[in-house]
Amino acid sequence: MKTLLIYDNNGRIYYQASGDYTLPQGLQYLEVEVPEGKYIAGVDVQNKSAILEDLPVSQDQKNADDITNLQLAVAELAEQLAGGVSNG
């Protein structure tokens, strides 16, 4: 989805809109596509382009990643222990 950015000579964004908007007359603006997982951090006025940065990982995502890693570690330990037991 396109996003409208209205900015000043220093690259500071004063207005940002997605969806239904009207292009301004007499103001500096850009229309940009923001990829999934990114956010607009500012405007590079030299190149007339948006500065995109990665979204920070949420605490929920960190916790989910930790749980997955712990589950894999437990499964690996269980496999090692099962391989070390002799039946006879």
Side-chain angles (χ1 to χ4, degrees), residues 27-69:
L27 297 172
Q28 296 180 93
Y29 73 91
L30 290 173
E31 284 185 288
V32 297
E33 289 282 340
V34 182
E36 188 75 27
K38 300 280 187 177
Y39 74 95
I40 299 168
V43 173
D44 179 346
V45 292
Q46 295 286 340
N47 297 314
K48 295 189 179 181
S49 62
I51 300 168
L52 302 176
E53 294 186 1
D54 292 330
L55 284 172
V57 178
S58 70
Q59 188 61 47
D60 288 343
Q61 185 60 50
K62 288 178 187 177
N63 291 343
D65 292 346
D66 289 346
I67 289 169
T68 300
N69 290 335

Side-chain angles (χ1 to χ4, degrees), residues 1-5 17-21 30-34 40:
M1 177 182 300
K2 284 191 176 188
T3 300
L4 171 69
L5 304 175
S18 296
D20 188 29
Y21 55 81
L30 290 173
E31 284 185 288
V32 297
E33 289 282 340
V34 182
I40 299 168

Side-chain angles (χ1 to χ4, degrees), residues 6-19:
I6 298 176
Y7 62 95
D8 68 10
N9 291 336
N10 295 318
R12 174 177 281 173
I13 298 170
Y14 283 90
Y15 181 74
Q16 179 174 329
S18 296

